[in-house]
Amino acid sequence: MNPEDSPGFLLWHATLRWQRGITAALTPLGLTHVQFVLLACAWWLNSQGEHPNQLALARQAGTDVKMTSQVLRTLEQKGLIEREVDPADTRAKRLRVTGLGADLAPRAIAAVEDVDAQFFRPVPLDDAVALLGRLAHPET
């Protein structure tokens, strides 16, 4: 089989091209891709009135819990996220995006959405979302 006929091979190359675009858009904002995903998810959850703990944020973002903790430490050091003791469980920390993080998150989201619009332009948006949704969640 020719590698160009392999869906996995093509997905690999498409993912690499997409990631390069995301990295280029986020670097001027001082964020890595994973930092962006966690900041954006925390910002969105906060905007919905939720103050998630690390586990809830990792579930929302689809990231490993241990890695999430490490990246959150970095976001905290950058002044973008604060961890507060959860009154319901003093062992848990609830996450709150700071003013600085709340300013940066929508700008970063807009930058990523621009990359997505350029990247997915050759394919109708509904088709891309349907295919990627099925691949991301085959059980539904």
Side-chain angles (χ1 to χ4, degrees):
M1 174 189 262
N2 182 337
E4 292 297 322
D5 295 329
S6 167
F9 186 77
L10 292 170
L11 179 61
W12 170 250
H13 281 275
T15 300
L16 290 174
R17 188 170 69 80
W18 175 74
Q19 287 175 335
R20 282 191 298 271
I22 297 294
T23 297
L26 292 175
T27 297
L29 300 175
L31 294 172
T32 67
H33 197 172
V34 176
Q35 289 170 0
F36 160 74
V37 169
L38 293 174
L39 176 64
C41 286
W43 177 79
W44 185 81
L45 288 167
N46 283 183
S47 74
Q48 303 301 304
E50 297 180 40
H51 295 283
N53 61 25
Q54 289 177 186
L55 180 59
L57 183 62
R59 284 186 182 139
Q60 172 75 22
T63 54
D64 174 75
V65 176
K66 187 173 182 176
M67 185 266 301
T68 297
S69 178
Q70 293 169 344
V71 174
L72 285 173
R73 247 190 306 281
T74 301
L75 291 174
E76 190 174 30
Q77 290 166 352
K78 291 182 173 193
L80 301 173
I81 284 184
E82 291 178 344
R83 298 186 220 209
E84 305 167 335
V85 174
D86 185 339
D89 179 359
T90 57
R91 298 167 297 162
K93 302 275 187 170
R94 293 170 50 152
L95 303 167
R96 188 180 65 77
V97 176
T98 65
L100 186 63
D103 177 61
L104 181 59
R107 292 188 297 126
I109 290 168
V112 166
E113 286 177 346
D114 286 346
V115 171
D116 283 355
Q118 292 294 322
F119 182 83
F120 290 106
R121 185 178 16 217
V123 179
L125 182 61
D126 290 345
D127 291 350
V129 170
L131 172 62
L132 294 170
R134 288 185 65 199
L135 293 174
H137 308 287
E139 65 281 350
T140 58

